[in-house]
Amino acid sequence: AQTVTQSQPEMSVQEAETVTLSCTYDTSESNYYLFWYKQPPSRQMILVIRQEAYKQQNATENRFSVNFQKAAKSFSLKISDSQLGDTAMYFCAFKRSNYQLIWGAGTKLIIKP
Amino acid sequence: EPEVTQTPSHQVTQMGQEVILRCVPISNHLYFYWYRQILGQKVEFLVSFYNNEISEKSEIFDDQFSVERPDGSNFTLKIRSTKLEDSAMYFCASSGTSGNAGELFFGEGSRLTVL
C-alpha cells in the first residue's frame, strides 16, 4: 500500500528566508504523480506544485521548487523568499493516474514578520 | 479560469438527518472525487466516480453514503443519517483524462457540522 510521510508537524521561519518541507513516500509503482497542496486558514486546498515520476527534472513554480529523489522516494518542497501569505498547512500527496490521492499528515508552516 | 464549485459552504444539521452536498466539477473533466477532512486531521479519500459509476471507495464510504451525477453537471454526496463523527470539511475534486490526468482540482469545501 502507498503511504506518504511528512515528518515535520510544524515549522516556523522569518519572512524572506528559505524553508524546506520534507516528504517521503512508499510505493511499488513506477508511474505516479506527486503534489504539494497548500491549505490556508480559509481551508481551500490549493495546488502548489506537481511532479510526474517519469520526469527527472525537478518542477519549479516561481518561488516554489521541489527536490524529487525517485530512488530515495523523497519529494521535498523548497519555498524561497518566503512571504507572510505562505503561512498555511502544506500537504504532500501521492497519486497513481485516476486513482485516489494519498495524503501526508501535513506540515504547518508559519512565516513570521 | 475554470473551477470546481461546492454548495453549501457550511451546513449545520441534527444527528440522524439527511444531508446532500453539491459540487459542480470543471466541465470537461471526467473523474470526480469526494474527500473529507475532520478538523485537525489528515485528508481522507471517500470515493471516486467515473463514467456514471463508483470506481473506487474507501472504508469510510459505507452504506450511509452515496454519490450521483443526476444531470451531467452536478456531482452530489448524500449522507443518509448523519452522525456526530461526520462533522468535517468535505472537498469535491475533479480531474481530466490527458495531460493533467494526475492533477485534481479542488473546490473550496463544504463544512458540515452535525449536532
Side-chain angles (χ1 to χ4, degrees), chain A residues 8-22:
Chain A
Q8 305 150 311
E10 184 170 324
M11 297 188 70
S12 178
V13 298
Q14 293 294 136
E15 191 176 8
E17 289 184 346
T18 293
V19 60
T20 299
L21 308 182
S22 65

Side-chain angles (χ1 to χ4, degrees), chain B residues 31-60:
Chain B
Y31 298 86
F32 313 111
Y33 309 84
W34 283 101
Y35 288 81
R36 80 173 185 188
Q37 186 183 30
I38 296 171
L39 186 64
Q41 298 187 21
K42 187 184 288 194
V43 178
E44 302 172 294
F45 168 75
L46 292 178
V47 65
S48 59
F49 191 86
Y50 169 70
N51 199 26
N52 286 320
E53 61 182 23
I54 292 173
S55 50
E56 190 178 4
K57 62 182 181 179
S58 71
E59 293 178 352
I60 302 168

